[in-house]
Amino acid sequence: MGIEEGECKKRYALLLAARDSEYVMKVYGGYFNVFLAAFGEEEERWDLYRVVDGEFPDANELQAYDGFVVSGSPYDAYGDDTWILDLCFLLQTLDSMQKKILGICFGHQVLCRALGGKVGKSDSGWDIGLRKVKIVKDFSPCSFLESLNDMPPSLSIIECHQDEVWEVPMGAEVIAFSDKTGVEMFTIGDHILGIQGHPEYTKDILNNLIDRLLNQDSIQIELADDARSKMEIAEPDRKCWQQICKAFLKGYGMHTPELKYEDIIFS
């Protein structure tokens, strides 16, 4: 789906690297709507490109966008599937254009790979459920980070991954880590932000994903039970994470009043 003519303040594209699950389609109408609810705002235009199925924006349309979001995926960011290699090339192009790119989970990893970093399987296995992420003290100031000057020292986020960033690209800065994962969040200048966790996920989405992983024998019941029990007694800091992402994508501070999503324009 490409952009169309029309007046709007800003334009963004979701590069969807996963296919919609039956649950997310039934409850939310697809992952696109999940991301819109998390990051979208009134009078913006959001377009969907299902990169997992080889659907990419036209090179001539890239300049029209204010930012791009790369979603999570069940695929490996270090894989050599044609669409993953095409995605890496697109991300390199957007980086050279200094376009804002927000990578989530797989998006965080493939963004790292495309720009010269290293990703792979975690030696300690799956990370599923709530994870406390610690913000690095005294990271280098830039316009985006300065807008987050009162960011808490740690935040809880929903995680669901077995791959991780091993080495960030040259010029990147790690700004968050956890006991499980050394690179939970990284930046390059003001235009690249990678987040290993899922700021867009709700607990019910993760619970359904756990069910599917169990049915596929991808995880053990003990890991699933542990993740569920922790989610019953604690909440992810979704509002704060979403404000961080919005501050990055749209260039404002964390305490800008939230807008309604009802009038978002999208195709």
Side-chain angles (χ1 to χ4, degrees):
M1 301 180 195
I3 56 178
E4 299 175 1
E5 295 299 325
E7 292 296 325
C8 60
K9 292 180 179 178
K10 290 190 175 183
R11 288 171 172 169
Y12 297 94
L14 174 64
L15 306 178
L16 188 61
R19 296 180 179 90
D20 294 318
S21 69
E22 291 183 11
Y23 178 82
V24 169
M25 277 298 298
K26 179 181 178 181
V27 176
Y28 297 94
Y31 283 118
F32 185 48
N33 290 336
V34 174
F35 278 92
L36 280 177
F39 305 144
E41 293 183 346
E42 191 175 358
E43 296 184 25
E44 293 175 352
R45 183 178 190 88
W46 283 73
D47 295 324
L48 169 62
Y49 295 95
R50 297 182 182 276
V51 294
V52 68
D53 292 321
E55 182 180 297
F56 287 82
D58 187 280
N60 296 324
E61 294 183 339
L62 299 180
Q63 191 58 49
Y65 288 102
D66 294 282
F68 297 79
V69 179
V70 189
S71 78
S73 177
Y75 289 83
D76 297 326
Y78 45 85
D80 289 330
D81 306 65
T82 299
W83 72 268
I84 295 177
L85 299 180
D86 289 344
L87 178 58
C88 286
F89 179 75
L90 173 61
L91 296 176
Q92 292 164 359
T93 301
L94 296 175
D95 174 53
S96 70
M97 298 170 69
Q98 295 285 296
K99 287 293 184 180
K100 286 184 178 287
I101 312 171
L102 170 61
I104 304 295
C105 197
F106 166 91
H108 159 85
Q109 297 161 11
V110 79
L111 186 54
C112 176
R113 173 193 179 178
L115 301 184
K118 295 181 180 179
V119 298
K121 282 276 187 292
S122 169
D123 290 336
S124 54
W126 280 92
D127 189 8
I128 299 179
L130 288 182
R131 177 69 56 182
K132 184 74 73 174
V133 170
K134 301 170 186 176
I135 308 302
V136 174
K137 296 180 180 179
D138 303 322
F139 45 65
S140 302
C142 67
S143 60
F144 157 61
L145 297 176
E146 286 171 353
S147 74
L148 306 178
N149 55 10
D150 54 355
M151 187 158 54
S154 64
L155 293 166
S156 290
I157 194 169
I158 290 176
E159 304 265 11
C160 187
H161 65 99
Q162 58 178 334
D163 297 337
E164 64 182 8
V165 169
W166 288 350
E167 184 179 313
V168 294
M170 184 177 298
E173 184 167 15
V174 178
I175 62 172
F177 64 96
S178 69
D179 294 339
K180 179 79 166 59
T181 303
V183 183
E184 290 281 0
M185 182 158 51
F186 78 92
T187 59
I188 300 177
D190 292 333
H191 70 290
I192 300 292
L193 175 62
I195 299 175
Q196 178 58 71
H198 285 275
E200 83 284 7
Y201 269 15
T202 56
K203 291 202 290 188
D204 67 292
I205 290 176
L206 181 62
N207 269 314
N208 178 261
L209 183 51
I210 289 173
D211 287 340
R212 286 187 282 133
L213 290 171
L214 282 171
N215 289 336
Q216 298 164 5
D217 292 324
S218 297
I219 61 173
Q220 296 180 331
I221 187 67
E222 293 81 8
L223 178 61
D225 289 344
D226 182 65
R228 292 190 207 274
S229 65
K230 290 179 179 176
M231 284 196 297
E232 287 178 359
I233 60 175
E235 294 289 332
D237 294 309
R238 292 186 70 231
K239 291 291 186 182
C240 192
W241 280 109
Q242 289 170 11
Q243 285 298 90
I244 288 171
C245 294
K246 290 179 182 180
F248 168 73
L249 286 170
K250 300 135 197 279
Y252 57 62
M254 284 186 66
H255 299 297
T256 301
E258 292 188 13
L259 300 176
K260 296 180 179 179
Y261 309 131
E262 286 84 350
D263 298 323
I264 294 172
I265 305 168
F266 60 91
S267 59

